[in-house]
Amino acid sequence: MQEFSKRATQKISKLSDSQIQSIIAEITGENEMLDSVFQSVSTGLMVISTDFRLRKINKSAERYVPFSMNPEEPKSESFFIWEIISNEEIASFLKTSFESKKTNVSEEFSVTFGDETRFVDVSITPFAQNKNLAGSIVRIEDLTEKRRQEVLLHRMEAMSGLTNIAASVAHEIKNPLGAISVHIQLIQKAVRKRRDSDGKLPDQKFLENYLDVVNQEIDRLNKIVVNFLTAVRPISVRLELVNPDKIIDELLSFFMAEFDDKKISVEKKLCGNEKIMIDEKFFREVIVNLAQNAVAAILEKREGELGAFGVFTGVIRISSFVKDGMYTVLFMDNGIGMNDEARRRVFEPYFTTKADGTGLGMAMSYKIIKEFNGDIAVNSERDKGTEFVIKIPVPQKSTALLTFCEGEK
């Protein structure tokens, strides 16, 4: 069709009115078909001119990117493309890329529409027309379903360990049930004995002692069931692009009074400028759990070596960096450390070395990081300290846009 149009243009002066009308009708029909294809594709497309104005947009792009005005209105052409996009992060990405003349770049974003959050990949490629650069094409891919499938896969993997958890719970429930049964039988036996003799009930103190034990075991059973539900119930994460170092920094500031009171120094070296796909509430839960475990390990070592008020100074070191497409957090302490068994089982539900521990803190942390499509590991040696390593994928970017943090090792 393009070659036909060129030939027709060259000979237009020799054509009759009817032939010209026929050619125009044919070209119009061809353009309408191409526009229908452009509007029908599921990938969002925006054609941007060399002066950064929106020349053309399809319906998918309007669904995936929030605009502050109707992009198809004529007045939108008087604004730069980033001035009519209401999502600040996407607008900033386009502005930075266009003004610095970067092409073949991409970045992932989370976009909120009401109560729904969608994940999109925005990429920029050059647009050539008649062998000359005519602007850029912005492609928007909807990654929401892909992310949901990843979460579902992680949940299925987590459920595969449900058999082991159920076996542990059955063992935990067995003991309090046995104690309840024994004490109820003792009460029944005492009541029958008195009924067969003088008909009086046993002393109040006698009954209360046994009933107190029964109530304690019932409370214990209830706690086991609640913990079990916590361990097996899928967590509902809401993934968004968040700066994790900001969260860590805020939590360290919150805990600083406790650290000072317990003579624990904190050393941090955070990346500070990277954003990853996490749920802020659950990421906070992981960091809080690591901080509490570190404090407990330091206090245990201090009491074991020098007494509760010794001069041993606990140290917590936190660093973060980006390497090989992974955001990494190193959370270290110089506390009591772990033996080989504790290190192997630290992420198992119901495994704990604390007298009052539930054994669910690190299991839940493991579960949360897996929901983020990440991984968490531990390095520890008895009497020398512990290091937890958290790795979470950084949303894909081009090499040109990928920045490495100062804390990289």
Side-chain angles (χ1 to χ4, degrees):
M1 183 65 188
Q2 189 175 12
E3 290 299 321
F4 170 77
S5 299
K6 287 181 179 179
R7 289 198 303 271
T9 302
Q10 292 170 354
K11 298 180 180 180
I12 194 166
S13 60
K14 300 177 182 180
L15 300 177
S16 65
D17 290 346
S18 61
Q19 288 176 319
I20 292 174
Q21 290 176 357
S22 176
I23 291 172
I24 292 174
E26 198 166 339
I27 292 174
T28 300
E30 186 78 11
N31 285 338
E32 289 177 351
M33 183 192 73
L34 292 175
D35 186 67
S36 296
V37 173
F38 181 79
Q39 294 295 340
S40 300
V41 295
S42 59
T43 299
L45 295 171
M46 293 190 291
V47 180
I48 311 299
S49 64
T50 53
D51 59 350
F52 317 132
R53 263 68 173 183
L54 179 64
R55 290 179 57 186
K56 195 171 183 61
I57 184 172
N58 68 356
K59 297 299 181 183
S60 295
E62 293 184 51
R63 288 198 301 270
Y64 301 152
V65 177
F67 288 88
S68 56
M69 65 174 66
N70 187 345
E72 296 185 15
E73 291 183 7
K75 67 177 183 179
S76 67
E77 297 179 3
S78 61
F79 295 91
F80 293 124
I81 179 61
W82 53 83
E83 293 178 328
I84 63 174
I85 293 177
S86 58
N87 183 286
E88 293 182 0
E89 293 181 334
I90 296 178
S92 176
F93 167 70
L94 293 177
K95 181 179 180 181
T96 301
S97 300
F98 286 141
E99 291 185 339
S100 59
K101 298 182 179 180
K102 290 181 178 178
T103 55
N104 294 315
V105 293
S106 66
E107 189 165 343
E108 287 188 23
F109 300 92
S110 58
V111 182
T112 301
F113 296 93
D115 295 331
E116 182 185 19
T117 299
R118 303 193 72 82
F119 310 108
V120 297
D121 178 86
V122 180
S123 61
I124 303 173
T125 55
F127 170 52
Q129 194 170 23
N130 297 326
K131 297 182 180 180
N132 294 316
L133 183 65
S136 304
I137 296 177
V138 177
R139 297 172 65 252
I140 305 101
E141 296 281 355
D142 186 6
L143 305 178
T144 307
E145 189 59 33
K146 179 181 177 182
R147 293 287 176 263
R148 287 173 179 167
Q149 290 299 322
E150 289 174 353
V151 170
L152 180 61
L153 177 61
H154 291 311
R155 289 178 179 173
M156 291 175 65
E157 290 174 351
M159 290 300 290
S160 65
L162 183 59
T163 302
N164 293 333
I165 297 176
S168 299
V169 171
H171 178 74
E172 292 286 332
I173 288 177
K174 191 175 180 181
N175 293 332
L177 282 177
I180 291 173
S181 176
V182 168
H183 284 80
I184 288 178
Q185 290 177 38
L186 290 172
I187 292 173
Q188 290 174 330
K189 182 178 179 181
V191 169
R192 281 198 302 268
K193 184 176 179 181
R194 289 300 182 92
R195 186 178 291 153
D196 293 340
S197 57
D198 57 14
K200 295 180 180 180
L201 291 174
D203 294 339
Q204 185 176 4
K205 186 177 181 181
F206 173 86
L207 289 175
E208 286 179 346
N209 287 340
Y210 284 125
L211 291 174
D212 285 345
V213 173
V214 170
N215 286 329
Q216 289 172 8
E217 295 302 322
I218 289 174
D219 289 341
R220 184 179 164 195
L221 277 174
N222 183 63
K223 186 177 180 181
I224 291 171
V225 171
V226 169
N227 288 341
F228 171 73
L229 292 176
T230 300
V232 301
R233 183 182 290 125
I235 58 177
S236 179
V237 298
R238 181 170 179 172
L239 299 178
E240 295 181 287
L241 275 172
V242 177
N243 184 339
D245 288 334
K246 183 180 178 182
I247 298 173
I248 295 173
D249 209 29
E250 290 174 353
L251 289 174
L252 291 179
S253 298
F254 177 78
F255 279 109
M256 197 53 67
E258 180 181 355
F259 293 151
D260 291 340
D261 182 61
K262 292 180 168 60
K263 295 184 175 65
I264 297 174
S265 66
V266 176
E267 301 173 6
K268 64 178 180 179
K269 190 174 183 180
L270 302 178
C271 169
N273 59 357
E274 194 61 62
K275 290 188 176 182
I276 56 176
M277 301 293 292
I278 58 175
D279 184 306
E280 182 173 341
K281 180 183 70 174
F282 285 110
F283 186 76
R284 284 179 180 273
E285 184 177 329
V286 173
I287 301 303
V288 167
N289 191 49
L290 292 179
Q292 291 174 338
N293 284 353
V295 169
I298 289 170
L299 295 182
E300 184 178 350
K301 182 175 181 179
R302 177 181 296 165
E303 293 178 7
E305 290 188 354
L306 301 169
F309 301 97
V311 295
F312 168 73
T313 299
V315 178
I316 294 176
R317 296 185 181 91
I318 305 100
S319 61
S320 67
F321 57 89
V322 173
K323 188 175 182 181
D324 298 331
M326 302 295 287
Y327 167 82
T328 302
V329 178
L330 304 180
F331 201 108
M332 299 171 278
D333 68 73
N334 65 341
I336 194 65
M338 306 179 197
N339 58 28
D340 290 342
E341 181 188 14
R343 188 173 63 253
R344 286 194 308 268
R345 302 182 59 191
V346 64
F347 299 117
E348 289 183 13
Y350 297 107
F351 175 78
T352 181
T353 57
K354 301 175 185 177
D356 58 346
T358 63
L360 291 176
M362 290 313 304
M364 183 58 68
S365 295
Y366 180 87
K367 189 175 181 180
I368 290 170
I369 297 301
K370 286 296 183 181
E371 288 285 330
F372 299 162
N373 200 26
D375 196 16
I376 180 170
V378 63
N379 302 307
S380 186
E381 190 173 345
R382 190 66 178 176
D383 297 324
K384 291 189 176 181
T386 298
E387 175 189 66
F388 283 95
V389 181
I390 297 173
K391 293 186 177 184
I392 301 173
V394 175
Q396 287 186 345
K397 303 178 183 179
S398 72
T399 305
L401 290 184
L402 185 60
T403 57
F404 290 86
C405 307
E406 294 179 359
E408 181 185 343
K409 295 186 175 182

